Amino acid sequence: MINLDKYSSIFIANWKLNGNSLFLKDYYEKLKVNSNNCTIICSPSIYLKSLKGDKENLFCGAQDVSSFKEGAYTGELSAAMLKDNNIDFCLVGHSERRQYFAETSKNVNVKSKNLIEENIIPVICIGETLEQKENKLTEEILFTQIKNSIPISANQQNALIAYEPVWAIGTGLTPTLDEINQVHELIKNFDKKYINFKVLYGGSVKSSNSKEITQLNYVDGCLIGGASLKVDEFNKIIS
Ligand code: 13P
Protein backbone atom coordinates (compact mmCIF):
# COMPACT_ATOMS: atom_id res chain seq x y z
CA MET A 1 0.00 0.00 0.00
CA ILE A 2 1.22 3.52 -0.85
CA ASN A 3 2.44 5.55 2.14
CA LEU A 4 0.24 8.65 1.80
CA ASP A 5 1.93 10.44 4.70
CA LYS A 6 5.08 11.09 2.73
CA TYR A 7 3.28 13.51 0.40
CA SER A 8 2.37 17.09 1.17
CA SER A 9 -0.69 16.97 -1.13
CA ILE A 10 -2.62 14.49 -3.22
CA PHE A 11 -3.95 15.38 -6.68
CA ILE A 12 -6.31 13.10 -8.55
CA ALA A 13 -7.26 13.56 -12.20
CA ASN A 14 -10.67 12.10 -12.96
CA TRP A 15 -10.90 11.83 -16.74
CA LYS A 16 -14.45 10.43 -16.54
CA LEU A 17 -15.56 9.12 -19.99
CA ASN A 18 -12.85 10.93 -21.96
CA GLY A 19 -9.58 10.10 -23.67
CA ASN A 20 -8.15 7.64 -26.18
CA SER A 21 -4.75 6.04 -26.89
CA LEU A 22 -3.33 9.07 -28.71
CA PHE A 23 -4.52 11.49 -26.04
CA LEU A 24 -3.01 9.29 -23.37
CA LYS A 25 0.40 9.03 -25.05
CA ASP A 26 0.67 12.79 -25.51
CA TYR A 27 -0.58 13.44 -21.97
CA TYR A 28 1.91 11.04 -20.41
CA GLU A 29 4.83 12.56 -22.34
CA LYS A 30 3.94 16.09 -21.24
CA LEU A 31 2.95 15.32 -17.64
CA LYS A 32 5.38 16.81 -15.11
CA VAL A 33 4.97 15.08 -11.79
CA ASN A 34 6.11 16.95 -8.69
CA SER A 35 7.94 14.70 -6.22
CA ASN A 36 6.38 16.33 -3.12
CA ASN A 37 2.91 15.37 -4.26
CA CYS A 38 1.09 12.15 -4.95
CA THR A 39 -0.45 12.33 -8.42
CA ILE A 40 -3.09 9.85 -9.49
CA ILE A 41 -4.66 9.53 -12.94
CA CYS A 42 -8.08 7.92 -13.09
CA SER A 43 -8.49 7.17 -16.78
CA PRO A 44 -11.19 4.88 -18.15
CA SER A 45 -10.24 1.37 -16.98
CA ILE A 46 -9.28 0.05 -20.39
CA TYR A 47 -6.40 2.58 -20.58
CA LEU A 48 -5.09 2.17 -17.03
CA LYS A 49 -2.37 -0.30 -17.93
CA SER A 50 -0.97 1.92 -20.68
CA LEU A 51 -0.53 4.73 -18.16
CA LYS A 52 1.86 2.65 -16.09
CA GLY A 53 5.19 4.14 -16.97
CA ASP A 54 8.31 4.88 -15.00
CA LYS A 55 7.38 8.26 -13.53
CA GLU A 56 7.88 8.24 -9.77
CA ASN A 57 5.02 9.38 -7.55
CA LEU A 58 2.53 8.86 -10.38
CA PHE A 59 -0.19 6.27 -9.78
CA CYS A 60 -3.20 4.92 -11.58
CA GLY A 61 -6.71 4.82 -10.23
CA ALA A 62 -9.90 3.23 -11.53
CA GLN A 63 -13.13 5.23 -11.59
CA ASP A 64 -15.28 2.45 -10.22
CA VAL A 65 -15.21 -1.23 -9.26
CA SER A 66 -17.77 -4.00 -8.99
CA SER A 67 -19.29 -4.75 -5.62
CA PHE A 68 -19.07 -8.41 -6.57
CA LYS A 69 -15.91 -10.44 -6.23
CA GLU A 70 -16.46 -12.85 -9.15
CA GLY A 71 -19.16 -14.70 -11.05
CA ALA A 72 -21.87 -14.11 -13.62
CA TYR A 73 -21.90 -10.29 -13.59
CA THR A 74 -21.41 -9.22 -17.21
CA GLY A 75 -19.46 -6.01 -17.71
CA GLU A 76 -18.03 -5.80 -14.22
CA LEU A 77 -14.40 -5.48 -13.02
CA SER A 78 -13.49 -6.76 -9.57
CA ALA A 79 -11.13 -5.27 -6.99
CA ALA A 80 -8.89 -8.35 -7.39
CA MET A 81 -8.67 -7.69 -11.17
CA LEU A 82 -7.61 -4.11 -10.52
CA LYS A 83 -4.94 -5.33 -8.12
CA ASP A 84 -3.81 -7.91 -10.66
CA ASN A 85 -3.17 -4.95 -12.99
CA ASN A 86 -1.22 -3.01 -10.32
CA ILE A 87 -3.88 -0.36 -9.79
CA ASP A 88 -3.39 1.40 -6.46
CA PHE A 89 -6.45 3.66 -6.14
CA CYS A 90 -10.12 3.59 -7.07
CA LEU A 91 -12.83 6.26 -6.92
CA VAL A 92 -16.01 5.05 -5.26
CA GLY A 93 -19.39 6.70 -4.87
CA HIS A 94 -18.70 9.60 -7.23
CA SER A 95 -21.86 11.69 -7.45
CA GLU A 96 -22.22 10.78 -11.15
CA ARG A 97 -22.33 7.09 -10.15
CA ARG A 98 -24.79 7.86 -7.36
CA GLN A 99 -26.95 9.98 -9.70
CA TYR A 100 -26.88 8.12 -13.04
CA PHE A 101 -26.23 4.55 -11.89
CA ALA A 102 -28.30 4.52 -8.70
CA GLU A 103 -25.31 3.72 -6.55
CA THR A 104 -26.10 3.78 -2.85
CA SER A 105 -23.86 4.37 0.15
CA LYS A 106 -24.34 0.69 0.96
CA ASN A 107 -22.82 -0.24 -2.45
CA VAL A 108 -19.99 2.22 -1.80
CA ASN A 109 -19.32 0.59 1.55
CA VAL A 110 -19.05 -2.92 0.03
CA LYS A 111 -16.87 -1.71 -2.86
CA SER A 112 -14.54 0.14 -0.47
CA LYS A 113 -14.28 -2.91 1.78
CA ASN A 114 -13.38 -5.14 -1.20
CA LEU A 115 -10.76 -2.63 -2.39
CA ILE A 116 -9.15 -2.39 1.05
CA GLU A 117 -8.93 -6.19 1.17
CA GLU A 118 -6.92 -5.99 -2.08
CA ASN A 119 -4.68 -3.18 -0.76
CA ILE A 120 -6.21 -0.66 -3.15
CA ILE A 121 -6.99 2.74 -1.66
CA PRO A 122 -10.64 3.71 -2.17
CA VAL A 123 -11.31 7.41 -2.71
CA ILE A 124 -14.73 7.64 -1.11
CA CYS A 125 -16.72 10.54 -2.60
CA ILE A 126 -19.40 12.44 -0.73
CA GLY A 127 -21.21 15.71 -1.37
CA GLU A 128 -24.49 17.55 -1.11
CA THR A 129 -26.74 18.80 -3.93
CA LEU A 130 -27.64 22.47 -4.34
CA GLU A 131 -31.14 21.81 -3.02
CA GLN A 132 -29.72 20.12 0.07
CA LYS A 133 -27.31 23.00 0.60
CA GLU A 134 -30.09 25.57 0.23
CA ASN A 135 -32.17 23.66 2.76
CA LYS A 136 -29.21 23.70 5.18
CA LEU A 137 -28.91 19.92 5.04
CA THR A 138 -25.20 19.75 4.13
CA GLU A 139 -24.02 18.54 7.52
CA GLU A 140 -26.73 15.90 7.84
CA ILE A 141 -26.23 14.61 4.27
CA LEU A 142 -22.46 14.37 4.61
CA PHE A 143 -22.70 12.68 7.99
CA THR A 144 -25.15 10.08 6.65
CA GLN A 145 -23.02 9.46 3.55
CA ILE A 146 -19.88 9.05 5.65
CA LYS A 147 -21.53 6.79 8.20
CA ASN A 148 -22.96 4.50 5.53
CA SER A 149 -20.22 4.63 2.86
CA ILE A 150 -17.06 4.16 4.89
CA PRO A 151 -16.44 0.54 5.93
CA ILE A 152 -15.23 -0.39 9.42
CA SER A 153 -11.91 -1.56 7.97
CA ALA A 154 -11.10 1.93 6.57
CA ASN A 155 -8.47 4.09 8.25
CA GLN A 156 -6.31 7.09 7.38
CA GLN A 157 -3.66 4.89 5.75
CA ASN A 158 -5.85 2.72 3.55
CA ALA A 159 -8.65 5.08 2.43
CA LEU A 160 -9.23 8.67 1.29
CA ILE A 161 -12.32 10.87 1.46
CA ALA A 162 -13.21 13.31 -1.34
CA TYR A 163 -15.68 16.10 -0.65
CA GLU A 164 -17.31 17.11 -3.92
CA PRO A 165 -20.36 19.39 -3.62
CA VAL A 166 -22.55 18.15 -6.48
CA TRP A 167 -23.46 21.73 -7.46
CA ALA A 168 -19.78 22.59 -7.93
CA ILE A 169 -18.99 19.76 -10.34
CA GLY A 170 -18.44 21.01 -13.88
CA THR A 171 -20.27 24.28 -13.19
CA GLY A 172 -17.43 26.72 -12.53
CA LEU A 173 -19.00 27.40 -9.12
CA THR A 174 -17.13 26.67 -5.91
CA PRO A 175 -17.84 27.20 -2.24
CA THR A 176 -15.80 30.02 -0.68
CA LEU A 177 -12.40 29.06 0.74
CA ASP A 178 -13.82 29.42 4.26
CA GLU A 179 -16.72 27.15 3.41
CA ILE A 180 -14.40 24.49 1.97
CA ASN A 181 -12.18 24.60 5.03
CA GLN A 182 -15.14 24.47 7.42
CA VAL A 183 -16.75 21.49 5.69
CA HIS A 184 -13.44 19.60 5.69
CA GLU A 185 -13.01 20.34 9.39
CA LEU A 186 -16.55 19.14 9.99
CA ILE A 187 -15.92 15.88 8.11
CA LYS A 188 -12.77 15.16 10.10
CA ASN A 189 -14.64 15.82 13.33
CA PHE A 190 -17.74 13.72 12.67
CA ASP A 191 -16.05 11.01 14.70
CA LYS A 192 -12.57 10.71 16.19
CA LYS A 193 -11.99 7.84 13.76
CA TYR A 194 -11.85 10.35 10.87
CA ILE A 195 -9.69 13.01 12.45
CA ASN A 196 -6.54 11.99 10.58
CA PHE A 197 -8.20 10.93 7.34
CA LYS A 198 -6.98 12.84 4.32
CA VAL A 199 -9.87 14.75 2.75
CA LEU A 200 -9.60 16.04 -0.83
CA TYR A 201 -11.75 18.77 -2.35
CA GLY A 202 -13.35 18.40 -5.80
CA GLY A 203 -15.61 20.63 -7.89
CA SER A 204 -14.45 23.20 -10.48
CA VAL A 205 -10.81 23.07 -9.37
CA LYS A 206 -8.50 24.76 -11.89
CA SER A 207 -4.99 26.24 -11.88
CA SER A 208 -6.34 29.65 -10.83
CA ASN A 209 -7.86 28.34 -7.55
CA SER A 210 -6.00 25.10 -6.79
CA LYS A 211 -3.18 26.69 -4.80
CA GLU A 212 -5.46 28.57 -2.42
CA ILE A 213 -7.67 25.51 -1.94
CA THR A 214 -4.76 23.13 -1.34
CA GLN A 215 -3.21 25.48 1.20
CA LEU A 216 -6.30 25.40 3.44
CA ASN A 217 -5.61 23.79 6.82
CA TYR A 218 -8.08 20.96 6.51
CA VAL A 219 -7.60 20.24 2.79
CA ASP A 220 -5.16 17.48 1.81
CA GLY A 221 -5.42 17.73 -1.96
CA CYS A 222 -7.82 18.00 -4.88
CA LEU A 223 -9.91 15.79 -7.16
CA ILE A 224 -10.03 17.40 -10.58
CA GLY A 225 -12.36 16.68 -13.48
CA GLY A 226 -12.50 19.00 -16.51
CA ALA A 227 -9.23 20.83 -15.82
CA SER A 228 -7.34 17.53 -15.61
CA LEU A 229 -8.04 16.85 -19.29
CA LYS A 230 -5.67 19.61 -20.37
CA VAL A 231 -2.19 18.43 -19.46
CA ASP A 232 -0.68 21.94 -19.31
CA GLU A 233 -3.43 23.04 -16.95
CA PHE A 234 -3.04 19.89 -14.84
CA ASN A 235 0.75 20.42 -14.72
CA LYS A 236 0.13 23.89 -13.26
CA ILE A 237 -2.22 22.44 -10.64
CA ILE A 238 0.24 19.79 -9.47
CA SER A 239 3.36 21.95 -9.69
P1 13P B 1 -14.85 19.26 -12.36
O1 13P B 1 -13.44 19.51 -11.90
O2 13P B 1 -15.00 19.20 -13.84
O3 13P B 1 -15.80 20.19 -11.69
O4 13P B 1 -15.24 17.78 -11.86
C1 13P B 1 -15.02 17.44 -10.55
C2 13P B 1 -15.17 15.97 -10.42
O5 13P B 1 -16.24 15.44 -10.59
C3 13P B 1 -13.96 15.19 -10.14
O6 13P B 1 -14.30 13.91 -9.73
Side-chain angles (χ1 to χ4, degrees), residues 131-171:
E131 195 186 352
Q132 290 162 342
K133 178 183 162 64
E134 285 171 352
N135 287 310
K136 309 221 175 318
L137 292 171
T138 301
E139 184 168 347
E140 186 185 326
I141 294 294
L142 296 182
F143 182 59
T144 309
Q145 286 181 342
I146 289 228
K147 195 161 54 89
N148 297 329
S149 305
I150 301 191
I152 294 165
S153 55
N155 61 45
Q156 66 263 29
Q157 257 101 44
N158 67 17
L160 289 167
I161 296 173
Y163 168 56
E164 296 203 300
V166 179
W167 53 272
I169 295 178
T171 57

Side-chain angles (χ1 to χ4, degrees), residues 12 14 16 91 94-96 125 164 168-172 202-205 223-227:
I12 307 182
N14 178 9
K16 308 190 180 185
L91 304 179
H94 190 282
S95 64
E96 287 150 15
C125 304
E164 296 203 300
I169 295 178
T171 57
S204 295
V205 174
L223 174 51
I224 305 120

Side-chain angles (χ1 to χ4, degrees), residues 7-20:
Y7 297 107
S8 48
S9 295
I10 299 168
F11 292 99
I12 307 182
N14 178 9
W15 286 4
K16 308 190 180 185
L17 190 55
N18 295 292
N20 56 39

